[in-house]
Amino acid sequence: GAVVSQHPSWVICKSGTSVKIECRSLDFQATTMFWYRQFPKQSLMLMATSNEGSKATYEQGVEKDKFLINHASLTLSTLTVTSAHPEDSSFYICSATGQETQYFGPGTRLLVL
Amino acid sequence: AQSVTQPDIHITVSEGASLELRCNYSYGATPYLFWYVQSPGQGLQLLLKYFSGDTLVQGIKGFEAEFKRSQSSFNLRKPSVHWSDAAEYFCAVNYGGATNKLIFGTGTLLAVQP
């Protein structure tokens, strides 16, 4: 139980394009999902908290207009990186909360050329 | 500010040897405590968690952790390490509240030598 999926697992895009990453809780409902970014050999950096049916809460320093989050249902949250640039290349990981525990997706590696 | 400390950035153990990874959290109300493991290029997998009750908790893959309130610690242990345990290990705490945000330690990279 408590499986979280992410799609795609990796994506390469051109600078200036937008990329959408999906996060799904497969066998439980999650009112809260989180989006993280992880740089090589570093811990996770929380970007935003996504609540079903309401606006996401962004951490300080995270541009809400660049990283659009939509939590349309209790099992799906999406992160759209708008007008991506090479500095947005990173490993993006989502988590979904069930029984006060965060369960993580496998991550999406984004490379912006 | 609330924080989590993993003092060991990198640890190398021999296969079959015992393992202890340290984790300390900043003083305050007893948080919810977690250990996650991350293999290269993968997401995080929950090993175990402590909310309340018995301070020695058992997790998956033969791991256990002990909560010590007096030391604000939640160290992870395994009696006999396998080569497949090589990975990055993160301690995380949740001080509660509506958001259930996790505060992560910086991680400990475990290498296992034959």
Side-chain angles (χ1 to χ4, degrees), chain B residues 3-112:
Chain B
S3 63
V4 178
T5 302
Q6 291 180 248
D8 304 305
I9 296 173
H10 186 271
I11 284 182
T12 300
V13 299
S14 297
E15 191 167 17
S18 63
L19 171 70
E20 181 169 31
L21 302 182
R22 296 181 290 166
C23 173
N24 292 92
Y25 61 93
S26 57
Y27 179 79
T30 301
Y32 294 167
L33 299 156
F34 305 84
W35 274 99
Y36 290 90
V37 60
Q38 184 180 33
S39 296
Q42 301 295 315
L44 276 67
Q45 182 182 23
L46 178 68
L47 286 176
L48 46 77
K49 61 185 177 183
Y50 173 79
F51 287 179
S52 65
D54 191 345
T55 57
L56 183 64
V57 293
Q58 303 297 321
I60 63 171
K61 304 185 179 185
F63 285 92
E64 67 177 27
E66 186 172 13
F67 168 59
K68 292 185 177 180
R69 184 190 305 274
S70 62
Q71 299 177 18
S72 297
S73 69
F74 189 55
N75 294 348
L76 182 71
R77 300 194 294 247
K78 186 169 184 176
S80 178
V81 170
H82 188 261
W83 64 266
S84 59
D85 293 324
E88 183 105 35
Y89 291 80
F90 291 98
C91 179
V93 302
N94 170 4
Y95 284 94
T99 63
N100 281 312
K101 281 187 185 179
L102 283 177
I103 300 173
F104 281 92
T106 51
T108 297
L109 183 62
L110 173 66
V112 180

Side-chain angles (χ1 to χ4, degrees), chain A residues 8 10-21 65-68 79-89 92 109-113:
Chain A
W10 59 270
V11 57
I12 302 173
C13 70
K14 292 182 178 180
S15 185
T17 60
S18 295
V19 174
K20 179 185 285 189
I21 303 170
D65 294 330
K66 180 165 190 61
F67 298 100
L68 299 179
L79 168 69
T80 301
V81 183
T82 61
S83 187
H85 288 93
E87 58 266 29
D88 299 323
S89 298
Y92 293 87
R109 187 160 304 281
L110 170 63
L111 177 61
V112 184
L113 301 177

Side-chain angles (χ1 to χ4, degrees), chain A residues 96-113:
Chain A
T97 300
Q99 296 180 320
E100 296 175 305
T101 301
Q102 286 189 34
Y103 298 94
F104 287 82
T108 297
R109 187 160 304 281
L110 170 63
L111 177 61
V112 184
L113 301 177

